Amino acid sequence: TYRDGNQARQIAYEISTSEMFVPYMEPSKTWAYRAYMDVGEYGFGALSSPLKAGSDCPANAKFLDATISDDHGKPLRLKNVVCVFERDTGDPLWRHYEVFTESHESRPNVELVVRMAPEVGNYDYLLDWVFNRRGEIEVRVGAYGIDATKAVAAKTMRDATAKEDTAYGTLIAPQLVGVNHDHFMSFRVDLDVDGQKNRMVVDKFVPKTLSGNPLRRSIWQVERSTVDTERAFEPMHESAYFRFESDNTLNALANPTSFQLAPGHADLSILSDDEPQQQRAAFSGASFWVTRYHPDEAFAAGVYPNQNRKTEGLPVFIENHESIKNEDLVLWYTIGFRHQTRAEDWPVMPVKRISFMLK
């Protein structure tokens, strides 16, 4: 919620990691099967790691424990796996300088960060939920850890076997190749913008050619349309914005209140549709999906992704093309990046960050 004076304004009921897909690009017998579903097969909650004051989180952070179910359904307490802190970004929230009166008005932007760090095998993921003073919510993912490597004969790229040894990765140390791979994480955003009844609006920027106007030759205008049924969306670009409007709440100027999806850069899977690993993680082939809320539709790749024999999850959720106009909507956004390994990733890789925002 966002506090607007004395009123609590709804934004979303829940924002959560739904699934993560990490396929490695090496077709040999010992690597072909390596396409991990880090949430569905292992669990970010179960693998939450303790956070360290002064490095993982600022020294002034408040640390929280979490209680989850173990493999037998009994409570398991995890110590210091969440931290909460404020930070000064070093940027102004807003500013203006008036040269004629030499007046300067600005305010610092301070963020509230809620952080956790699941450790899945060789990778650590830092997940930040960031709340700022503009009423925006940003989700940031940082990938850390140690590259998955395979042994090779080549010590340098001058060796005779180097070209063959590096067909599927980069020589990152003598006789070690870091294998190329992807990371795709689906976030489930159960939106409730000023209530549960919402609709999705596309603001498309359309160039217009003007004739008979001596002052201008061209402009662009906004053409608005409503998305009426569940669907997946292709890679996003700057020619459209995507908003989620309240069905029954207007602002002071009588426009429907809304939140806009501000996507960050995100790669999509480019594996073929008949690739078995891709079929298990079909969510990674679209920028984002919009569905009507159902309590049993909680996971982008289905309930049991490590046992799937066919495509499940989001492609199945949208098959019936349910109406999403003035309904309880769920946005599924895919964060993704391709990891072409490099020497600087070894022995411990520096962070790779990617994010999206609701504003």
Side-chain angles (χ1 to χ4, degrees), residues 322-336:
E322 280 191 287
S323 171
I324 59 170
K325 189 173 181 180
N326 303 332
E327 297 289 348
D328 191 357
L329 303 187
V330 179
L331 163 69
W332 309 73
Y333 183 73
T334 304
I335 279 180

Side-chain angles (χ1 to χ4, degrees), residues 17-22 36-41 44 120 125 141 143 182-186 281 283 335 337:
T17 50
S18 172
E19 190 52 86
M20 186 160 193
F21 178 44
V22 186
Y36 303 107
M37 307 287 272
D38 283 351
V39 174
E41 292 177 338
F44 271 16
V120 190
Y125 298 101
V141 178
D182 294 320
H183 297 258
F184 302 112
M185 187 182 297
S186 175
F283 71 86
I335 279 180
F337 67 91

Side-chain angles (χ1 to χ4, degrees), residues 101-172:
T101 60
E102 296 186 351
S103 61
H104 187 131
E105 286 289 340
S106 64
R107 300 291 185 275
N109 188 26
V110 177
E111 296 176 336
L112 177 70
V113 181
V114 181
R115 173 173 291 172
M116 64 174 290
E119 176 268 322
V120 190
N122 56 304
Y123 263 96
D124 297 67
Y125 298 101
L126 204 71
L127 301 180
D128 284 355
W129 280 260
V130 183
F131 307 87
N132 66 34
R133 297 176 69 189
R134 294 185 294 269
E136 299 166 342
I137 302 173
E138 185 176 10
V139 179
R140 297 177 186 164
V141 178
Y144 297 80
I146 301 171
D147 272 338
T149 59
K150 69 171 185 177
V152 296
K155 293 182 178 180
T156 76
M157 291 303 293
R158 298 186 187 91
D159 293 345
T161 62
K163 184 176 180 180
E164 181 182 356
D165 288 344
T166 57
Y168 306 109
T170 305
L171 194 68
I172 59 175

Side-chain angles (χ1 to χ4, degrees), residues 29 31 100 179 250 300:
K29 278 187 177 181
W31 281 86
F100 297 109
V179 177
L250 303 178

Side-chain angles (χ1 to χ4, degrees), residues 80-326:
N80 293 343
V81 294
V82 176
C83 73
V84 184
F85 59 92
E86 282 189 351
R87 67 177 169 205
D88 186 341
T89 64
D91 298 321
L93 181 71
W94 53 262
R95 79 178 302 277
H96 183 63
Y97 178 75
E98 185 58 60
V99 64
F100 297 109
T101 60
E102 296 186 351
S103 61
H104 187 131
E105 286 289 340
S106 64
R107 300 291 185 275
N109 188 26
V110 177
E111 296 176 336
L112 177 70
V113 181
V114 181
R115 173 173 291 172
M116 64 174 290
E119 176 268 322
V120 190
N122 56 304
Y123 263 96
D124 297 67
Y125 298 101
L126 204 71
L127 301 180
D128 284 355
W129 280 260
V130 183
F131 307 87
N132 66 34
R133 297 176 69 189
R134 294 185 294 269
E136 299 166 342
I137 302 173
E138 185 176 10
V139 179
R140 297 177 186 164
V141 178
Y144 297 80
I146 301 171
D147 272 338
T149 59
K150 69 171 185 177
V152 296
K155 293 182 178 180
T156 76
M157 291 303 293
R158 298 186 187 91
D159 293 345
T161 62
K163 184 176 180 180
E164 181 182 356
D165 288 344
T166 57
Y168 306 109
T170 305
L171 194 68
I172 59 175
Q175 298 183 308
L176 280 182
V177 163
V179 177
N180 293 330
H181 55 281
D182 294 320
H183 297 258
F184 302 112
M185 187 182 297
S186 175
F187 282 88
R188 181 179 178 274
V189 184
D190 182 355
L191 290 158
D192 288 340
V193 180
D194 273 329
Q196 291 185 342
K197 300 295 185 182
N198 291 169
R199 58 180 167 265
M200 182 177 176
V201 177
V202 179
D203 294 329
K204 190 173 182 180
F205 305 106
V206 181
K208 302 285 186 178
T209 301
L210 304 179
S211 60
N213 187 332
L215 303 178
R216 292 292 296 270
R217 297 290 183 268
S218 63
I219 59 172
W220 57 259
Q221 289 180 287
V222 179
E223 292 184 356
R224 293 181 175 86
S225 60
T226 302
V227 179
D228 292 334
T229 60
E230 298 176 316
R231 56 171 289 191
F233 287 82
E234 294 303 315
M236 287 180 283
H237 44 75
E238 294 181 356
S239 63
Y241 284 166
F242 302 89
R243 289 187 297 108
F244 300 87
E245 289 186 347
S246 170
D247 173 45
N248 50 29
T249 303
L250 303 178
N251 68 11
L253 301 176
N255 277 314
T257 58
S258 66
F259 260 76
Q260 180 190 94
L261 170 65
H265 168 78
D267 292 316
L268 296 177
S269 178
I270 53 177
L271 298 176
S272 62
D273 290 340
D274 62 351
E275 166 63 50
Q277 311 290 16
Q278 179 61 31
Q279 290 172 347
R280 290 201 308 147
F283 71 86
S284 62
S287 291
F288 70 97
W289 310 64
V290 176
T291 64
R292 186 170 171 174
Y293 171 79
H294 290 286
D296 58 343
E297 294 181 356
F299 304 106
V303 180
Y304 302 110
N306 62 331
Q307 299 178 34
N308 286 355
R309 295 185 178 275
K310 58 183 180 179
T311 299
E312 295 185 19
L314 281 167
V316 177
F317 298 167
I318 68 169
E319 277 182 347
N320 57 359
H321 303 291
E322 280 191 287
S323 171
I324 59 170
K325 189 173 181 180
N326 303 332

